[in-house]
Amino acid sequence: MDYSYAIEQMKEKQSLGIKPGLERVLSLLEIMGNPQNNIKIIHVAGTNGKGTVAATIAKSLISSGYKTGLFTSPWVTDYREQIKINGNFIPKETLAGYIEKYCEYDATEFELLSAIMYKYFSDEKVDYAVVECGMGGLGDATNTEEKNIAVITAVSLDHTAFLGDTAEKIAFEKSGIIRENCPCVLYPNPDTLHVFEKVCRERSAELIKVDDCGDYRINNLKTASAVSALLGVEPASELVHLESRCERIGSILLDSGHNVSAAKALISSPNRLDNEIAVIGMMADKDVEGYLSIVAPHCKKIITTTPSNPRSLSADKLRDIALKYCRDVEAEPDPAVAVRRNGVSLVCGSFYLARDVRGILINMI
């Protein structure tokens, strides 16, 4: 199957939407021979920081000479960036071959992608796979292995329609990756600590709690380092910096964070937002009010836009909300036009907006 056609086949499955539950992906993995049980897995869940922590753990393993798979989502620049071994994207022909073989089975896009990831890592005989949950944990399509090291990063409200409307409910969903008699490394989550302690007791899982240093960056690094200590490898000296996560491209700061915790991280040092001209696009199912109430007061002008995703909030509706927090707001539906406005210094609010414009921003340097 041609690679471009294969990716179109995957994208067509987006119409199936998000379907929590493991029945479909478990059935597909059974057909594949349950490859997820042939791999040593470090499974990372959390609301914020899980991609960064996962990539940092993978870096430590690679630096120590281990063949290491890394699964993160969503993609920003290249669809294949979600599945990597030792930093290299899954080859186009390999991914196309897996899609051709398994795309006809009943599975959503993310379920099929997760199953392919496990199959590829098993086929390539990786020493370790560092796997980032897509959403939640308990019903996430990645949550299929028998054993793992569970890692929980910062927990806060997000995906409330699927995971619950309180931090405790969301924490319980995240705790779904914790396995019987397996360790769990926990980022400082004082408000939900009792949830994880209870689950670990019930599953006879060792709970390794990271001390709170008062800075989410240091806490993320210490969380990754605690996993490295469990694995007996040298910890990374600094966090891996991912595309579109507080990424500086020329004079513009690009950030794909989309919830209140991400907003607080965005305005914190070292970003130091002040009098920004911002392009903001968001999904309609996010806490738009909460996000804008934190970020918008740091902007002297906001250009709202509509990311190319069916779940996007329209630029006009986003403008109406942003006007509560910033006097100068205008709507420009086309992200490519919006980011080319004079003086833009910040682009934020969604992975899908980052996907739309990151290449444009790089070409503008």
Side-chain angles (χ1 to χ4, degrees):
M1 180 182 286
D2 174 75
Y3 173 73
S4 297
Y5 179 71
I7 297 303
E8 288 305 312
Q9 292 291 101
M10 290 294 283
K11 291 180 179 178
E12 282 183 13
K13 284 184 170 286
Q14 291 176 357
S15 62
L16 298 174
I18 299 171
K19 292 184 176 182
L22 300 177
E23 296 83 4
R24 290 170 302 277
V25 70
L26 284 171
S27 295
L28 179 53
L29 286 165
E30 180 75 23
I31 291 165
M32 292 177 169
N34 287 315
Q36 75 279 13
N37 294 327
N38 300 329
I39 312 165
K40 294 178 181 178
I41 293 172
I42 298 98
H43 210 153
V44 187
T47 308
N48 292 98
K50 62 183 187 291
T52 297
V53 169
T56 303
I57 294 168
K59 179 182 178 181
S60 295
L61 287 165
I62 294 167
S63 297
S64 297
Y66 290 103
K67 187 175 184 179
T68 305
L70 176 63
F71 180 65
T72 58
S73 62
W75 63 278
V76 176
T77 304
D78 188 313
Y79 194 89
R80 297 177 299 132
E81 74 193 42
Q82 299 173 104
I83 303 175
K84 294 184 282 192
I85 294 179
N86 284 6
N88 299 311
F89 296 178
I90 182 173
K92 290 182 177 181
E93 62 274 14
T94 303
L95 179 55
Y98 285 129
I99 294 171
E100 181 177 24
K101 188 171 183 179
Y102 298 111
C103 69
E104 296 304 317
Y105 290 96
D106 179 24
T108 67
E109 180 199 14
F110 189 70
E111 288 167 349
L112 178 55
L113 182 70
S114 298
I116 286 173
M117 171 268 297
Y118 281 130
K119 178 65 172 165
Y120 175 56
F121 288 164
S122 177
D123 287 349
E124 292 297 315
K125 296 180 172 57
V126 299
D127 296 311
Y128 291 97
V130 185
V131 177
E132 177 194 5
C133 280
M135 181 182 70
L138 185 63
D140 189 74
T142 62
N143 190 34
T144 55
E145 72 278 6
E146 294 175 346
K147 300 288 184 180
N148 67 23
I149 294 175
V151 185
I152 313 290
T153 64
V155 174
S156 61
L157 295 178
D158 198 8
H159 299 294
T160 54
F162 294 97
L163 305 181
D165 57 1
T166 68
E168 287 80 8
K169 290 178 182 177
I170 291 174
F172 180 75
E173 288 290 323
K174 308 291 184 188
S175 73
I177 68 168
I178 299 172
R179 293 292 185 269
E180 295 279 345
N181 301 305
C182 293
C184 173
V185 175
L186 180 65
Y187 177 101
N189 283 298
D191 294 341
T192 56
L193 174 60
H194 62 284
V195 176
F196 297 107
E197 287 180 330
K198 182 174 185 293
V199 172
C200 285
R201 283 196 304 271
E202 293 172 345
R203 300 177 189 172
S204 301
E206 178 189 6
L207 180 58
I208 301 163
K209 295 179 283 189
V210 173
D211 294 332
D212 189 356
C213 294
D215 183 305
Y216 76 93
R217 299 172 188 84
I218 298 175
N219 287 343
N220 281 339
L221 182 58
K222 291 190 68 170
T223 301
S225 297
V227 177
S228 296
L230 272 177
L231 297 170
V233 300
E234 187 72 23
S237 59
E238 60 183 10
L239 291 170
V240 171
H241 296 286
L242 301 179
E243 290 181 358
S244 85
R245 278 82 156 183
C246 289
E247 180 186 15
R248 182 67 65 178
I249 302 177
S251 61
I252 296 175
L253 183 65
L254 175 65
D255 186 59
S256 55
H258 49 252
N259 55 40
V260 167
S261 293
K264 290 177 180 177
L266 177 59
I267 68 170
S268 68
S269 179
N271 300 320
R272 296 185 294 276
L273 299 191
D274 183 41
N275 290 323
E276 309 294 335
I277 298 178
V279 174
I280 302 179
M282 298 191 72
M283 299 297 104
D285 55 0
K286 299 301 179 184
D287 182 2
V288 177
E289 286 270 4
Y291 182 91
L292 289 175
S293 69
I294 296 168
V295 174
H298 294 268
C299 303
K300 65 181 179 182
K301 181 181 180 63
I302 293 174
I303 304 158
T304 60
T305 193
T306 310
S308 53
N309 184 283
R311 292 175 21 239
S312 296
L313 188 65
S314 72
D316 288 339
K317 290 182 179 178
L318 187 58
R319 176 197 57 205
D320 294 342
I321 300 171
L323 280 168
K324 299 178 184 179
Y325 308 104
C326 178
R327 291 183 178 181
D328 189 356
V329 185
E330 63 178 277
E332 170 46 68
D334 188 341
V337 174
V339 298
R340 288 188 172 96
R341 295 288 184 87
N342 289 334
V344 169
S345 57
L346 173 66
V347 179
C348 62
S350 172
F351 269 107
Y352 300 101
L353 176 59
R355 184 183 299 171
D356 288 338
V357 304
R358 187 174 182 273
I360 296 171
L361 297 179
I362 290 172
N363 290 331
M364 288 168 54
I365 297 176

